[in-house]
Amino acid sequence: MHRAALIALASLAVTYAQQVGTNTAEVHPPLTWQTCSASGTCTNVAGKVVLDANWRWLHTTTGYTNCYTGNTFDTSLCPDGDTCAKNCALDGADYTGTYGVTASGSSLKLNFVTNGANKNVGSRLYLMDTDTSYKLFKLLNQEFTFDVDVSQLPCGLNGALYFSEMDADGGMSKFPNNKAGAKYGTGYCDSQCPRDLKFINGKANVEGWTGDSNSANSGKGTEGACCNEMDIWEANSMAAAFTPHPCSTDGLGVCTGDSCSGGSTGLCDPAGCDFNSFRMGDTSFYGKGLTVDTTKPFTVVTQFLTHDNTTTGDLTEIRRLYVQNGKVIQNSKVNIPGMDAFDSITDEFCSQQKTVFEDTNLFANQGGLKQMGKSFAKGVVLVLSIWDDYAANMLWLDSEYPTDKPGSNPGVTRGTCATSSGAPPDVEAAGNNVAVTFSNIKFGPIGSTFKNTGSSTGPAQPPASTPPAPVSTPPAPVSTPPASPTSPPAATQTHFGQCGGIGFSGPTACASPFTCQKQNDYYSQCL
């Protein structure tokens, strides 16, 4: 669900393909992030970000002629994919002036509409390890955390942070035609098997290329680029979702025809198994002035748990926590008839969701969490983007979707936005002051990346004033921690829940057979 804004800039250049242009020097904006140890000590890493190749000016290697203008290729320069790659070069980017990308310290701000020499809409960037390679994250039994400000994102917009199973060098070593590599943002793929990419595996996607009727800048070729995708965060100020999307491919797989679709013959699960609090029955959890208040920045914590709590185990659960105003907020619980009260993504959650929502369980068909875990073990690339949706107006995130079903049907309503909202011409016309800011990215063992400096809130924790057990309840006196099956359930924490730490005032005992294990001074967890 990540549309690329295809732009041809009317600038001058001198060059050399998918090659490299020299009109604008490619200088990657620095972005500091942190790795954390089990003790909770975090260390700065001097990272950088790079703009995706699809946004860049594509012109001749010997002059200033556009190889791509509007939403079509120049067929004299690009009669076929290989020739186009030899004739045409990707140029460097003016990140702030042209694309509205501003990096400062550990913060990355992405403007939606930027009016420079040409109008730019949206952007997609990748976190780099070096100037010529992407950072690969291995997520099993780890925790990924970041701060986000979505206060300026209205209905129809998506400030997305996610992982895709891309090659670290952008495919440069595998494909001789690709001279640009990760330095110029090549090699993108995701679970939607996007066909709007101008280049796939170093070859132009010109065969069958047709400009989109509803977009002046984008089109589609006959090939798509498929790979495993983990959407950590797809959100605006109205709604949010986190979603694993497994694929049968090993890294980037090229699709054509039906293999690009989400049906039984497709290579991927484009719908995925999403956890959207509003869609899952808690309409008061996420939004303006709600439990997670989107008028202010907050911290998003995602934990990738394995069956044996090791970095080599099978992925069995994806958990979510929030931190705002110094308080840990447990994820909302499912409140849908016919479903258990899940607060995380498991294969059982996905199975129940697909059944109750009457959706085909492509998630299971593509291998479910275990397949996602294989992708995490190999390493995945961090993607940060802001985009609008020419296919479905982002209704699948924040409104009623599909629109031909009643909003009262289970799973159809995903947020409070009107079904008339989100049309790209409307959101782009009003998009000059729209932006998303990601900051304070941290990565490390479970429980290492955040601190609880106040009382926890949310459905998985009792109010701070709640005693461990009512005075009138036998057989344990008030001072006895609940440890027997007859103790009130509110006084024990569930598996993986927080059970201790500086400032924590919730339950400190774990439901059997789990025990409270210290992760750091600020966080202990039932394991």
Side-chain angles (χ1 to χ4, degrees):
M1 301 176 183
H2 312 288
R3 185 185 67 87
L6 305 175
I7 298 167
L9 299 179
S11 308
L12 300 179
V14 181
T15 52
Y16 178 93
Q18 205 169 6
Q19 321 235 4
V20 174
T22 58
N23 180 69
T24 301
E26 178 61 19
V27 180
H28 300 129
L31 183 67
T32 300
W33 58 284
Q34 294 187 316
T35 56
C36 302
S37 65
S39 66
T41 301
C42 298
T43 304
N44 286 342
V45 179
K48 300 178 180 182
V49 292
V50 61
L51 180 74
D52 181 276
N54 233 36
W55 269 257
R56 296 174 182 272
W57 180 28
L58 185 69
H59 59 81
T60 55
T61 60
T62 56
Y64 316 134
T65 304
N66 290 340
C67 291
Y68 184 96
T69 303
N71 58 13
T72 58
F73 284 93
D74 183 324
T75 54
S76 63
L77 295 168
C78 296
D80 58 75
D82 289 327
T83 302
C84 189
K86 295 173 183 176
N87 286 341
C88 301
L90 293 170
D91 221 305
D94 176 355
Y95 280 78
T96 302
T98 300
Y99 299 103
V101 174
T102 305
S104 177
S106 65
S107 178
L108 182 69
K109 182 179 181 181
L110 307 180
N111 289 341
F112 177 52
V113 173
T114 304
N115 290 298
N118 294 74
K119 179 180 179 179
N120 177 72
V121 176
S123 58
R124 184 167 65 219
L125 299 104
Y126 312 116
L127 184 66
M128 307 194 83
D129 204 15
T130 71
D131 273 319
T132 57
S133 63
Y134 304 131
K135 167 64 181 176
L136 291 185
F137 287 87
K138 296 187 176 181
L139 300 175
L140 290 177
N141 202 44
Q142 300 292 297
E143 178 175 282
F144 185 89
T145 295
F146 64 97
D147 294 350
V148 67
D149 184 345
V150 296
S151 61
Q152 298 180 59
L153 290 182
C155 297
L157 268 291
N158 191 333
L161 182 153
Y162 57 104
F163 289 102
S164 286
E165 195 184 321
M166 300 161 59
D167 286 339
D169 67 354
M172 191 173 181
S173 61
K174 293 180 180 177
F175 303 101
N177 279 348
N178 184 352
K179 307 298 184 185
K183 182 177 180 179
Y184 290 84
T186 69
Y188 182 69
C189 55
D190 68 32
S191 63
Q192 308 304 307
C193 298
R195 293 166 48 212
D196 62 354
L197 300 177
K198 286 182 281 187
F199 281 83
I200 299 175
N201 288 348
K203 185 174 74 172
N205 194 17
V206 296
E207 184 176 344
W209 185 273
T210 304
D212 289 343
S213 60
N214 63 347
S215 171
N217 294 317
S218 63
K220 293 181 178 65
T222 57
E223 294 186 341
C226 309
C227 67
N228 289 286
E229 174 186 358
M230 175 66 220
D231 291 331
I232 300 285
W233 187 249
E234 292 198 284
N236 51 41
S237 61
M238 311 300 290
F242 63 107
T243 313
H245 297 265
C247 300
S248 60
T249 60
D250 181 7
L252 192 161
V254 177
C255 69
T256 57
D258 289 344
S259 66
C260 296
S261 72
S264 58
T265 59
L267 298 180
C268 292
D269 173 19
C273 174
D274 67 300
F275 197 111
N276 172 332
S277 293
F278 193 104
R279 189 185 189 209
M280 300 317 301
D282 190 338
T283 60
S284 64
F285 182 74
Y286 179 92
K288 298 176 180 179
L290 301 182
T291 303
V292 177
D293 183 0
T294 58
T295 66
K296 306 171 184 176
F298 50 89
T299 301
V300 181
V301 182
T302 311
Q303 300 172 332
F304 302 94
L305 307 170
T306 58
H307 80 287
D308 58 359
N309 297 320
T310 71
T311 57
T312 57
D314 293 336
L315 180 68
T316 55
E317 186 174 15
I318 302 172
R319 293 195 64 81
R320 166 60 49 81
L321 297 167
Y322 300 90
V323 184
Q324 192 170 41
N325 300 324
K327 298 180 180 180
V328 175
I329 303 171
Q330 301 292 329
N331 192 31
S332 63
K333 288 185 177 291
V334 171
N335 183 24
I336 299 289
M339 292 190 67
D340 295 334
F342 297 98
D343 62 359
S344 65
I345 292 177
T346 62
D347 285 328
E348 180 59 24
F349 161 81
C350 298
S351 177
Q352 290 189 24
Q353 182 201 71
K354 299 299 182 183
T355 298
V356 172
F357 292 173
E358 297 183 347
D359 293 330
T360 302
N361 196 351
L362 292 177
F363 183 77
N365 294 349
Q366 293 290 3
L369 288 182
K370 188 173 183 179
Q371 175 65 9
M372 287 303 310
K374 293 178 181 177
S375 175
F376 296 167
K378 287 181 286 188
V380 286
V381 173
L382 178 63
V383 187
L384 306 106
S385 72
I386 184 169
W387 61 289
D388 57 352
D389 182 6
Y390 275 75
N393 296 355
M394 217 69 74
L395 301 179
W396 56 268
L397 175 66
D398 58 23
S399 183
E400 295 178 11
Y401 189 82
T403 55
D404 59 354
K405 291 186 177 181
S408 57
N409 283 18
V412 171
T413 302
R414 296 116 189 279
T416 59
C417 296
T419 54
S420 58
S421 69
D426 297 336
V427 294
E428 290 173 17
N432 287 339
N433 296 313
V434 172
V436 63
T437 300
F438 299 106
S439 59
N440 298 323
I441 293 170
K442 297 181 180 181
F443 179 68
I446 303 294
S448 68
T449 66
F450 67 100
K451 295 179 180 179
N452 175 25
T453 58
S455 60
S456 296
T457 61
Q461 302 286 355
S465 60
T466 302
V471 175
S472 59
T473 302
V478 174
S479 60
T480 302
S484 70
T486 58
S487 302
T492 61
Q493 183 54 281
T494 58
H495 191 199
F496 299 117
Q498 186 176 3
C499 55
I502 296 173
F504 178 73
S505 59
T508 57
C510 300
S512 177
F514 308 109
T515 59
C516 189
Q517 299 183 23
K518 180 178 178 179
Q519 305 296 314
N520 56 56
D521 289 342
Y522 295 92
Y523 189 78
S524 297
Q525 190 173 36
C526 290
L527 296 173

